């Protein structure tokens, strides 16, 4: 609605690609162009999902670019980790039996007060399969608070059985299971790696953090455990989540470092309490109207996989 009301802010993607000299469109054609873009996006992502294996094999670079640009509509397409997996089909069949083994009192006594973000009614559905059913599939990990936010997003996009299968894949093949183990050793590793990036790329900010005893874990732990779902509003967080599902945890490092780059000048002026408030109240809403700005900066961050692994 804002784009349609302001002709100067409405850019024609197709027009700018075909003719670099005509990037602005008139207000009379704004609505028409917007509807065509939305329709094209639906058609394109419908093809991508239906032909997922072929896109992964033959059009991987194009698929990577499209994922980074964002799906651009709801519901999104987080069925990627579910593609071509026999184990997921078995889990789909096992879910009803798993749910039969659970007790309602377990939910009320253990999980009722943990996650106010979704509200009580939504939590009933979230809890039924995410915490209890998954804890039966993976007893070593069991219940972990952070996973609820990931589960909640999946439930908003797909049926419960599909969401359960995708969640299991994410836990087992995207390093999330290691993050959520009781020892949380993998989280410690991620924090260590992120501190290395901070020291290398933003030395002034790193020195300031140390002088104020402002530990990396104080602001970055939730980034890794919830994939920014507790940091950003949903439209921004889902953009990060889309890329995570295609590329893994690397995007968390990139987005985290991009946030620090954007805010370094302000942060070095604050003490520990001021920085804590800044991370809680200012940073989450900086990109509400322009998530592309954050994503673009994130992919400009230097990230060396070999060095990070070493």
């Amino acid at each position: 609605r804002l784009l349609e009301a302001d002709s100067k802010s409405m850019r024609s993607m197709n027009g700018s690609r075909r003719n670099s000299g005509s990037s602005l469109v008139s207000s009379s054609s704004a609505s028409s162009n917007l509807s065509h873009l939305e329709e094209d996006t639906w058609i394109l992502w419908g093809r991508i999902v239906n032909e997922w294996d072929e896109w992964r094999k033959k059009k991987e670079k194009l698929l990577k670019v499209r994922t980074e640009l964002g799906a651009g509509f709801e519901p999104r397409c987080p069925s990627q980790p579910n593609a071509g997996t026999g184990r997921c089909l078995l889990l789909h069949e096992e879910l009803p039996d798993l749910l039969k083994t659970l007790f309602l009192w377990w939910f009320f006594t253990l999980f009722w007060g943990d996650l106010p973000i979704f509200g009580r009614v939504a939590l009933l559905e979230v809890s039924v399969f995410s915490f209890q059913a998954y804890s039966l599939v993976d007893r070593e990990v069991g219940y972990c608070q952070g996973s609820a936010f990931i589960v909640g997003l999946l439930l908003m996009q797909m049926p419960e059985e599909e969401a359960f299968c995708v969640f299991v894949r994410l836990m087992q093949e995207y390093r999330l299971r290691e993050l959520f183990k009781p020892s949380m050793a993998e989280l410690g590793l991620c924090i260590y790696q992120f501190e290395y990036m901070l020291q290398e790329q933003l030395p002034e900010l790193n020195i300031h953090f140390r002088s104020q005893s402002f530990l990396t874990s104080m602001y970055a732990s939730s980034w890794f455990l919830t994939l920014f779902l507790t940091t950003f509003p949903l439209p921004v967080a889902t953009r990060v989540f889309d890329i995570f599902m295609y590329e893994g945890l690397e995007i968390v490092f990139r987005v985290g470092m991009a946030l620090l780059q954007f805010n370094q000048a302000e942060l070095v002026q604050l003490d520990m309490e001021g920085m804590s408030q800044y991370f809680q109240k200012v940073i989450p809403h900086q990109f509400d109207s322009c998530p592309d700005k954050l994503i673009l900066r994130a992919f400009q961050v230097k990230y060396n996989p070999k060095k990070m692994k070493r």
Side-chain angles (χ1 to χ4, degrees):
R1 287 196 298 268
L2 290 173
L3 289 172
E4 291 174 8
D6 184 0
S7 61
K8 292 183 179 180
S9 68
M10 181 61 192
R11 294 180 178 272
S12 171
M13 290 175 61
N14 291 334
S16 63
R17 287 174 182 171
R18 294 171 189 162
N19 184 1
S20 59
S22 58
S23 60
L24 296 178
V25 297
S26 65
S27 58
S28 61
S29 62
S31 178
S32 174
N33 284 337
L34 184 60
S35 63
H36 283 310
L37 288 174
E38 290 175 344
E39 183 179 356
D40 291 345
T41 302
W42 272 100
I43 294 172
L44 174 63
W45 279 100
R47 285 178 53 202
I48 290 174
V49 173
N50 290 331
E51 304 166 6
W52 181 253
D53 290 337
E54 181 180 351
W55 277 79
R56 281 299 296 245
K57 293 177 182 177
K58 299 181 180 179
K59 306 175 183 179
E60 186 172 358
K61 289 185 179 179
L62 178 59
L63 180 59
K64 182 178 185 294
V65 172
R66 294 301 312 183
T67 304
E68 292 170 5
L69 288 174
F73 65 92
E74 299 293 348
R76 306 181 97 75
C77 307
S79 54
Q80 300 166 6
N82 199 18
T85 301
R87 175 58 180 159
C88 276
L89 295 177
L90 290 174
L91 288 168
H92 195 290
E93 296 172 358
E94 292 172 7
L95 182 57
D97 292 331
L98 291 171
L99 295 178
K100 289 177 184 178
T101 67
L102 304 172
F103 299 94
L104 191 59
W105 66 264
W106 192 13
F107 165 72
F108 280 106
T109 56
L110 293 182
F111 307 120
W112 186 248
D114 281 344
L115 300 164
I117 191 173
F118 291 113
R120 304 308 189 194
V121 176
L123 269 176
L124 282 169
E125 185 177 9
V126 171
S127 178
V128 161
F129 87 94
S130 68
F131 305 132
Q132 293 136 308
Y134 182 78
S135 68
L136 296 177
V137 173
D138 189 348
R139 296 180 183 276
E140 183 181 3
V141 173
Y143 163 70
C144 185
Q145 280 184 327
S147 63
F149 299 97
I150 300 170
V151 166
L153 179 63
L154 294 177
L155 278 175
M156 293 169 65
Q157 314 298 335
M158 61 185 72
E160 184 174 314
E161 294 83 358
E162 250 186 75
F164 178 72
C165 294
V166 172
F167 180 64
V168 172
R169 283 290 304 273
L170 289 175
M171 291 292 283
Q172 295 179 350
E173 300 183 21
Y174 284 69
R175 284 179 76 181
L176 290 184
R177 183 180 184 276
E178 302 302 315
L179 283 174
F180 290 128
K181 278 185 177 180
S183 67
M184 290 191 166
E186 190 75 7
L187 176 61
L189 172 60
C190 289
I191 295 296
Y192 175 77
Q193 291 174 313
F194 190 80
E195 286 179 342
Y196 174 85
M197 291 182 65
L198 177 62
Q199 182 177 357
E200 186 179 58
Q201 299 185 31
L202 297 174
E204 181 183 355
L205 184 60
N206 178 61
I207 292 173
H208 179 67
F209 281 168
R210 290 179 178 274
S211 69
Q212 296 294 320
S213 299
F214 192 64
L215 304 179
T216 309
S217 58
M218 295 169 64
Y219 61 88
S221 293
S222 64
W223 294 353
F224 290 99
L225 290 175
T226 68
L227 308 176
F228 290 101
L229 289 169
T230 57
T231 302
F232 298 129
L234 204 55
V236 183
T238 49
R239 287 292 306 277
V240 179
F241 194 79
D242 285 344
I243 301 171
F244 163 76
M245 295 188 76
Y246 189 80
E247 301 184 9
L249 274 179
E250 179 179 321
I251 189 60
V252 180
F253 289 94
R254 289 184 174 277
V255 170
M257 192 57 57
L259 288 176
L260 297 184
Q261 290 177 358
F262 271 118
N263 294 281
Q264 178 177 214
E266 291 77 13
L267 288 170
V268 294
Q269 304 298 322
L270 301 172
D271 58 12
M272 177 191 284
E273 184 177 351
M275 288 189 289
S276 296
Q277 293 294 316
Y278 194 89
F279 272 93
Q280 293 175 17
K281 297 181 179 180
V282 178
I283 288 180
H285 299 288
Q286 287 180 317
F287 304 96
D288 289 3
S289 60
C290 53
D292 286 338
K293 185 178 180 181
L294 174 62
I295 300 302
L296 180 62
R297 175 64 71 89
F299 280 101
Q300 293 173 346
V301 169
K302 297 178 181 178
Y303 183 93
N304 188 324
K306 293 183 178 179
K307 185 180 291 186
M308 295 291 280
K309 185 175 181 179
R310 185 168 67 248

